[in-house]
C-alpha cells in the first residue's frame, strides 16, 4: 500500500514555508501487535504547527528532520492488530500529514462519531479549535452577562466559536480581525456585536467600540494588538492567552511595550491556556458543542483544500489570514 507523506526537510526559524517540506511516497509497513492502520480523511492545519518544527520556545521536542510532519487528523481504521481500535472506527488524533498512519493507542485523542456531526468537524469544531474556545472562555474568562468579550483572530476556527459562546453567555462580543469583510462575517454569522479592523489605528477604535473597557480578552494574537487591548481592559478583567499569531519569530525574543503597570492597576488576571492539559474533557465538551450544532445554535466555517501537497502552503495561508474558517485538507 502506498503512502504519501509530508516530510520536514529543514528547520525553519519563524513561520515554516513550503521549501522546508517535501512530499515523499513510501510503502506502508506491516502492522505489529497493538498497532492499527488509519486512513486519514481530513488533515488539520494549525497555527501551533509552527511550534512543532521550531526549536524556539517549544514545550515538546520538535519534529525531527526527515520525519513526517506532526499534525492532527480525522481518519478511519482500515486494519487493526489492536484490542482497543477496530476496523471501521473513526478517530481524531496525531496521525500526521500523510495519507496512512500506523498508530497505537498513544496517537488517539478521541473517537469520532460521524452520526453526531459531519466528519470534518472532528478536526475543527469538535477538535481542538471548538474545545479550546469553549474551555478557555468558560474556565479562564468566566464571562458574566453584560460583559464585553474581545476576541482576536475572531473570524478563525477558534474565534468564530468564541463569539457565539460569549453571545450565548449574555455578553457583548467584539471581534478583532484583519479585514472589514471578515468583520462583517463575524457580525452576521458568529454572534459578534461589533468589529475592529486591526489594520486601522487601534487605540481610538478600542475607545469607541469598548467605552466601558474589555472585561474578557480572548487573545489569539499577542504582540502590539494585545498591548493596545490591555490598556483598554476594565478593572478585574480576565486575559486568556490562547495564541500568538502576530509574533513572527521567537528568535530574538520580541521585546516591546511593558504592560506590567496596566496589569497591576487594572487588577487583571492573565492566564495561558493549552488544550492538551484538558484531554479528559474532550468528549464531554465535544458532545456539548455537537448538541448546539444539531439544535441550530452554533455555526462553523471550514476552508477545505484537497491536495496533500498543498498542506505546507496552507499553513502559510493561515499565518497570512487567507483562510476563512477552519483550514483542513480533505484526502477522501
Ligand atoms: N492554546 C491552545 O490550546 C490553542 C488551541 C487551538 C488554537 N490555538 C490558537 O488559537 C489561535 C487561532 O487558531 P485557529 O486554528 O483558530 O486559526 P484561525 O483563527 O482559523 O487562523 C488564524 C488567523 O489569525 C489571524 N492572523 C494571522 N496573522 C496575524 C497577525 N500577524 N496579526 C493578527 N492576526 C493574525 C488571521 O486572521 P485575520 O485575517 O483576521 O488576520 C488568520 O486567519 C492561534 O493563535 C492558535 O495557535 C490555541
Amino acid at each position: 500500500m502506498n503512502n504519501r507523506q509530508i516530510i520536514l526537510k529543514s528547520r525553519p526559524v519563524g513561520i515554516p514555508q513550503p521549501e522546508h517540506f517535501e512530499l515523499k511516497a513510501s510503502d506502508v509497513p506491516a502492522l505489529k501487535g497493538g498497532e492499527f492502520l488509519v486512513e486519514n480523511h481530513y488533515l488539520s492545519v494549525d497555527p501551533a504547527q509552527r511550534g512543532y518544527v521550531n526549536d524556539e520556545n517549544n514545550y515538546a521536542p520538535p519534529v525531527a528532520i526527515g520525519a513526517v510532519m506532526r499534525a492532527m487528523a480525522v481518519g478511519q481504521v482500515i486494519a487493526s492488530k489492536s484490542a482497543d481500535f477496530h476496523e471501521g472506527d473513526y478517530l481524531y488524533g496525531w496521525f500526521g500529514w500523510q495519507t496512512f498512519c500506523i498508530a497505537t493507542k498513544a496517537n488517539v485523542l478521541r473517537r469520532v462519531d460521524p452520526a453526531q456531526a459531519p466528519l470534518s468537524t472532528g478536526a475543527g469544531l469538535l477538535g481542538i479549535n471548538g474545545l479550546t474556545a469553549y474551555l478557555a472562555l468558560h474556565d479562564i474568562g468566566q464571562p458574566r452577562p453584560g460583559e464585553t468579550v474581545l476576541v482576536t483572530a475572531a473570524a478563525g476556527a477558534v474565534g468564530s466559536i468564541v463569539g457565539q459562546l460569549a453571545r450565548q453567555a449574555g455578553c457583548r462580543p467584539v471581534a478583532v480581525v484583519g479585514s472589514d469583510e471578515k468583520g462583517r462575517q463575524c457580525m452576521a454569522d458568529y454572534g459578534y456585536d461589533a468589529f475592529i479592523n486591526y489594520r486601522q489605528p487601534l487605540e481610538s477604535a478600542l475607545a469607541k467600540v469598548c467605552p466601558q473597557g474589555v472585561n474578557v480578552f480572548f487573545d489569539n494574537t499577542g504582540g502590539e494588538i494585545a498591548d493596545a487591548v490591555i490598556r483598554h481592559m476594565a478593572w478585574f478583567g480576565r486575559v486568556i492567552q490562547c495564541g500568538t499569531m502576530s509574533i513572527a519569530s521567537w528568535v530574538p525574543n520580541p521585546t516591546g511595550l511593558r504592560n506590567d503597570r496596566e496589569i497591576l492597576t487594572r487588577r487583571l488576571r492573565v492566564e495561558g491556556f493549552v488544550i492538551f492539559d484538558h484531554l479528559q474533557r474532550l468528549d464531554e465538551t465535544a458532545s456539548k458543542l455537537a448538541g448546539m450544532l444539531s439544535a441550530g445554535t452554533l455555526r462553523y466555517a471550514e476552508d477545505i483544500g484537497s491536495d496533500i501537497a498543498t498542506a505546507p502552503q496552507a499553513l502559510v495561508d493561515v499565518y497570512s489570514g487567507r483562510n476563512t474558517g477552519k483550514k483542513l485538507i480533505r484526502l477522501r
Side-chain angles (χ1 to χ4, degrees):
M1 194 179 276
N2 211 311
N3 202 0
R4 297 179 82 211
Q5 303 177 306
I6 303 283
I7 304 290
L8 183 65
K9 200 168 67 172
S10 57
R11 194 161 302 292
V13 172
I15 297 162
Q17 302 295 315
E19 60 266 27
H20 296 112
F21 300 93
E22 64 184 329
L23 178 62
K24 273 196 173 168
S26 64
D27 286 334
V28 176
L31 291 179
K32 297 200 246 352
E35 292 179 341
F36 48 95
L37 183 63
V38 176
E39 180 173 21
N40 281 332
H41 286 227
Y42 290 95
L43 305 181
S44 185
V45 178
D46 287 290
Q49 286 174 297
R50 169 178 68 162
Y52 303 166
V53 293
N54 285 343
D55 282 328
E56 340 158 345
N57 279 335
N58 241 318
Y59 55 86
V63 176
I65 303 297
V68 176
M69 180 57 188
R70 188 182 302 158
M72 286 164 278
V74 168
Q76 187 176 30
V77 179
I78 56 167
S80 180
K81 287 196 173 178
S82 156
D84 302 300
F85 300 103
H86 306 289
E87 218 177 302
D89 288 352
Y90 285 99
L91 303 173
Y92 174 52
W94 296 105
F95 302 139
W97 273 355
Q98 55 186 341
T99 45
F100 298 102
C101 174
I102 292 191
T104 66
K105 206 174 172 176
N107 294 77
V108 179
L109 288 166
R110 60 179 293 266
R111 289 178 184 275
V112 174
D113 177 1
Q116 192 179 42
L119 197 57
S120 59
T121 61
L125 173 67
L126 306 185
I128 64 158
N129 308 88
L131 304 179
T132 293
Y134 187 96
L135 293 172
L137 177 68
H138 290 293
D139 289 4
I140 302 176
Q142 300 183 7
R144 294 186 281 268
E147 289 189 328
T148 295
V149 176
L150 183 139
V151 185
T152 50
V158 173
S160 58
I161 307 303
V162 179
Q164 297 175 78
L165 297 176
R167 169 71 72 183
Q168 287 178 21
C171 298
R172 175 175 178 259
V174 172
V176 177
V177 284
S179 72
D180 289 358
E181 193 185 343
K182 283 193 181 182
R184 285 190 287 271
Q185 186 189 24
C186 282
M187 291 180 67
D189 295 337
Y190 306 140
Y192 284 95
D193 193 60
F195 75 87
I196 294 171
N197 182 337
Y198 64 76
R199 298 181 201 282
Q200 310 299 324
L202 268 177
E203 299 280 352
S204 51
L206 283 161
K208 190 171 156 207
V209 175
C210 308
Q212 311 299 322
V214 173
N215 304 98
V216 178
F217 175 21
F218 197 114
D219 187 17
N220 288 317
T221 64
E224 289 177 11
I225 301 171
D227 290 341
V229 175
I230 284 182
R231 289 197 293 278
H232 289 266
M233 293 294 295
W235 281 21
F236 300 101
R238 284 82 71 200
V239 179
I240 305 159
Q241 195 64 60
C242 178
T244 55
M245 289 302 297
S246 79
I247 312 287
S249 175
W250 297 104
V251 179
N253 226 327
T255 53
L257 183 77
R258 304 301 307 251
N259 272 319
D260 319 45
R261 188 146 185 86
E262 302 296 337
I263 293 170
L264 168 77
T265 56
R266 293 169 194 269
R267 290 84 155 165
L268 307 181
R269 273 187 186 208
V270 182
E271 188 171 335
F273 177 89
V274 174
I275 187 66
F276 303 116
D277 296 334
H278 305 273
L279 295 181
Q280 74 288 0
R281 296 171 69 193
L282 296 191
D283 277 333
E284 158 213 334
T285 312
S287 295
K288 280 184 192 154
L289 292 173
M292 293 177 202
L293 191 62
S294 38
T297 55
L298 197 59
R299 289 178 178 206
Y300 66 98
E302 295 171 335
D303 182 340
I304 305 183
S306 58
D307 181 356
I308 190 169
T310 63
Q313 180 59 44
L315 185 55
V316 175
D317 289 346
V318 166
Y319 269 96
S320 322
R322 283 195 283 267
N323 63 315
T324 49
K326 172 65 194 172
K327 188 71 202 178
L328 297 167
I329 308 288
R330 182 186 179 149
L331 301 184
R332 267 194 62 103

